[in-house]
Amino acid sequence: MNSHPQHFAPLARLLHWLMALMIIAMLFIGAGMVTSVSARHEWLIHVHKPLGIAILLLAAVRLLVRFSTRQPPLPADLPGWQVLAAKASHVLLYALMLGLPVLGWAMISAAGDPVMLSGSLQLPAILPANAQVFALLRKAHGYLAYLLFLTVLLHLAAALFHGWVRRDGVLQSMLRGRV
């Protein structure tokens, strides 16, 4: 009897694909924000902030689901460096999914601006207003967003490698199936 599941839990798969869409949207929204000075810029900011907080909250839920459910094992014949790369990339993805929204929140706080999620819902500032800290956090937020984009691309490339080249069930474990 196989004690390991062949697929991720349904909730884990749902959160994975929902967050994949949200993160890709967030990356494009962020790129649009920094390249626009039109009226669209303000609208993008008003979408970016609550979406970032939603990603933060869902990343925390994903971690709870990940630690409370069993995941399918990686293929036994996977080279050690690929196992290490898979584990490291997942740690990096989770760190960025949690860290970037907190960094953005801190950045807006350091700018002295309210962190508005809607017309009436405001988050408390997590840092005092400070122009130098704002500038540092803004730069870090941008660089880490590029790192997230690169990590997502590598994650996608690895998934396609497993699905199209190795055909070892890794991609299928996140696409469909039962626990």
Side-chain angles (χ1 to χ4, degrees):
M1 179 176 181
N2 187 358
S3 63
H4 294 288
Q6 296 301 306
H7 299 91
F8 285 88
L11 180 57
R13 290 195 313 267
L14 174 67
L15 288 168
H16 175 273
W17 293 110
L18 175 62
M19 290 191 69
L21 291 172
M22 292 170 71
I23 288 168
I24 290 168
M26 182 63 101
L27 289 169
F28 281 103
I29 290 166
M33 272 178 15
V34 298
T35 60
S36 174
V37 293
S38 67
R40 176 179 63 155
H41 177 81
E42 196 67 28
W43 179 82
L44 290 171
I45 288 174
H46 291 300
V47 173
H48 191 81
K49 290 177 188 178
L51 187 55
I53 297 301
I55 288 171
L56 174 63
L57 295 174
L58 287 176
V61 171
R62 275 189 76 180
L63 279 172
L64 290 173
V65 169
R66 184 168 182 91
F67 290 125
S68 65
T69 61
R70 295 182 13 226
Q71 290 81 46
L74 291 170
D77 65 339
L78 199 62
W81 71 269
Q82 287 183 16
V83 171
L84 180 62
K87 291 180 181 189
S89 69
H90 280 99
V91 168
L92 181 58
L93 281 169
Y94 278 106
L96 291 168
M97 287 186 292
L98 293 166
L100 267 167
V102 172
L103 193 61
W105 184 355
M107 178 184 71
I108 298 304
S109 297
D113 294 334
V115 182
M116 302 300 295
L117 295 185
S118 68
S120 62
L121 183 58
Q122 179 178 338
L123 295 178
I126 57 175
L127 287 178
N130 182 310
Q132 288 89 6
V133 172
F134 166 75
L136 178 69
L137 293 177
R138 185 170 189 258
K139 191 168 285 217
H141 192 72
Y143 286 138
L144 289 176
Y146 283 121
L147 179 60
L148 177 60
F149 183 67
L150 177 63
T151 307
V152 166
L153 288 178
L154 290 172
H155 184 74
L156 177 60
L160 294 176
F161 175 74
H162 282 283
W164 294 349
V165 176
R166 283 187 53 101
R167 298 176 191 224
D168 56 13
V170 171
L171 178 61
Q172 289 300 322
S173 69
M174 187 52 79
L175 288 176
R176 61 173 182 243
R178 287 187 242 183
V179 184

